[in-house]
Amino acid sequence: MLRPWLHPRKHEIAGSESPCREGYWQGLPAAAGRVYSAVVDTKSEIREFLTSRRGRITPDQVGLMTYGPRRVPGLRREEVAVLAGVSVPYYTRLERGDMSGVSESVLDALADALRLDDAERAHLLDLARAAHPAPRRPHRRQADHAVRPAVQWTLNAITGAAAYVGNNHLDLLAANELGRALFSELYATPARPVNNARFVFLDPRAVAFYRDWDRAASDTVAILRWAAGHDPHDRDLSDLVGELATQSEEFRTRWAQHNVRFHNTAVKQFHHPVVGDLDLSFNRLELPADHGLTIFTYTAEPGSRSEEALKLLGSWAATSDRAESASAADRR
């Protein structure tokens, strides 16, 4: 596919050309149109991330006195410098993306000053490392699409819970029977591998499937933003981000916010077209032997209405599979 962000002056959207300034897409919020490419503009990423983080903190929240009117929301650069224990010129250099020689202790102090959570701290460290990487070529992580038979056997052995194997691109690479049934709306599309980010932002059915679509959308972008910072040379991921940014204004707006997060556990709310509402506990299980792959499980509280619905979904899935097998046998 053509990558518009590889052309610094102009690119084409919906058949019309528009000028591009410093990688931004004209007519969009600041930074909304710029996406990760095969070669990331790390300095801009650092600048925008730090600016967005200090912009959300007020002086009152960190115990600083304020004097006179403030032209911008959030903390000033000099206030962040005081909180981090560094000079104003030094912090200004960091915020401009120049992290040459910065120590981990300074990054920790900066994270404390900006009140970063664990995911944001990890993202800041990733950006600092990316600012001075060893020379490497952009790569496609084909291994992310391979699921070992033993992992599929593990999925099949999980009963009473929906489970699938995914990667940092939010691809669903393998699933057990209940997992395919739970995400039947995603599997209804012909594209493979199934991708939850494309479903959330490009498929109109997602708004009904995710009862809190706004949260699902924000979580999706925050996960992709973290993944992009962790591996800025992943071309498959840059292609995905570029596709979503080109086709979805909702995605562009959220991408510009520079939010990142770990996604380890939560309660997910679905509306399945067959069994109705489901409230399921989501957990992730790392696969250390399979780089970049994770098992995700969805379970219901014992005795709850969601448990009954999940059992009904399992029965529906088994019936559907038998019907498909019989139909395939008839065609042979």
Side-chain angles (χ1 to χ4, degrees):
M1 63 179 286
L2 293 176
R3 299 186 185 90
W5 56 94
L6 294 181
H7 303 279
R9 293 300 173 192
K10 63 181 181 180
H11 44 259
E12 190 170 296
I13 302 177
S16 62
E17 292 187 6
S18 57
C20 180
R21 179 177 56 83
E22 296 179 355
Y24 299 147
W25 289 0
Q26 188 178 36
L28 299 178
R34 192 169 56 73
V35 297
Y36 275 83
S37 65
V39 180
V40 174
D41 183 359
T42 306
K43 285 190 175 183
S44 294
E45 292 299 322
I46 294 170
R47 180 179 66 249
E48 292 161 14
F49 179 67
L50 292 179
T51 301
S52 68
R53 298 309 92 173
R54 69 177 172 89
R56 68 181 183 177
I57 302 174
T58 65
D60 290 342
Q61 289 176 313
V62 292
L64 293 177
M65 298 293 292
T66 58
Y67 302 95
R70 303 177 71 87
R71 293 181 299 171
V72 294
L75 297 177
R76 298 186 176 111
R77 285 177 176 172
E78 55 267 29
E79 292 168 335
V80 177
V82 168
L83 292 171
V86 299
S87 69
V88 176
Y90 185 68
Y91 173 72
T92 300
R93 176 167 71 84
L94 295 180
E95 190 175 284
R96 288 174 177 168
D98 181 1
M99 289 201 166
S100 57
V102 64
S103 67
E104 191 166 334
S105 62
V106 169
L107 292 175
D108 283 338
L110 187 56
D112 289 338
L114 295 174
R115 298 192 171 187
L116 304 186
D117 62 22
D118 289 343
E120 291 168 330
R121 284 173 180 268
H123 187 62
L124 179 61
L125 291 173
D126 285 337
L127 291 176
R129 282 192 291 267
H132 299 283
R136 58 187 296 192
R137 293 175 62 85
H139 63 276
R140 294 190 180 276
R141 303 176 64 181
Q142 298 293 344
D144 281 4
H145 300 300
V147 176
R148 291 183 293 115
V151 175
Q152 182 65 65
W153 302 339
T154 301
L155 290 175
N156 296 341
I158 298 175
T159 59
Y164 70 85
V165 171
N167 58 19
N168 288 338
H169 305 170
L170 301 183
D171 292 324
L172 280 66
L173 302 176
N176 65 0
E177 184 177 74
L178 195 50
R180 288 189 297 272
L182 176 61
F183 294 101
S184 59
E185 292 288 81
L186 281 71
Y187 280 99
T189 61
R192 293 294 183 271
V194 172
N195 184 271
N196 190 57
R198 288 192 181 93
F199 178 72
V200 167
F201 287 101
L202 305 182
D203 194 319
R205 294 173 301 166
V207 176
F209 181 69
Y210 289 106
R211 282 155 51 201
D212 189 348
W213 181 87
D214 187 72
R215 177 184 174 186
S218 295
D219 286 350
T220 296
V221 175
I223 294 166
L224 292 179
R225 172 66 80 172
W226 173 85
H230 186 66
D231 188 355
H233 298 275
D234 187 339
R235 285 182 56 199
D236 286 338
L237 182 55
S238 76
D239 286 348
L240 173 63
V241 171
E243 175 187 350
L244 296 174
T246 301
Q247 300 185 40
S248 171
E249 183 177 357
E250 290 281 1
F251 179 87
R252 292 194 298 268
T253 300
R254 287 171 169 80
W255 187 259
Q257 295 168 0
H258 285 264
N259 293 327
V260 294
R261 65 163 298 180
F262 296 141
H263 199 52
N264 297 322
T265 184
V267 174
K268 299 288 189 176
Q269 298 178 318
F270 304 98
H271 179 80
H272 195 277
V274 174
V275 299
D277 290 352
L278 289 159
D279 296 324
L280 302 178
S281 177
F282 158 84
N283 286 279
R284 59 178 291 158
L285 308 171
E286 294 291 345
L287 292 170
D290 299 87
H291 177 72
L293 300 187
T294 304
I295 292 179
F296 300 90
T297 63
Y298 295 80
T299 56
E301 181 181 353
S304 66
R305 190 266 173 200
S306 291
E307 184 185 41
E308 295 178 4
L310 201 58
K311 290 178 179 178
L312 179 60
L313 187 60
S315 299
W316 172 77
T319 302
S320 298
D321 284 349
R322 285 195 295 269
E324 289 180 6
S325 297
S327 176
D330 290 341
R331 289 194 297 270
R332 288 196 297 269

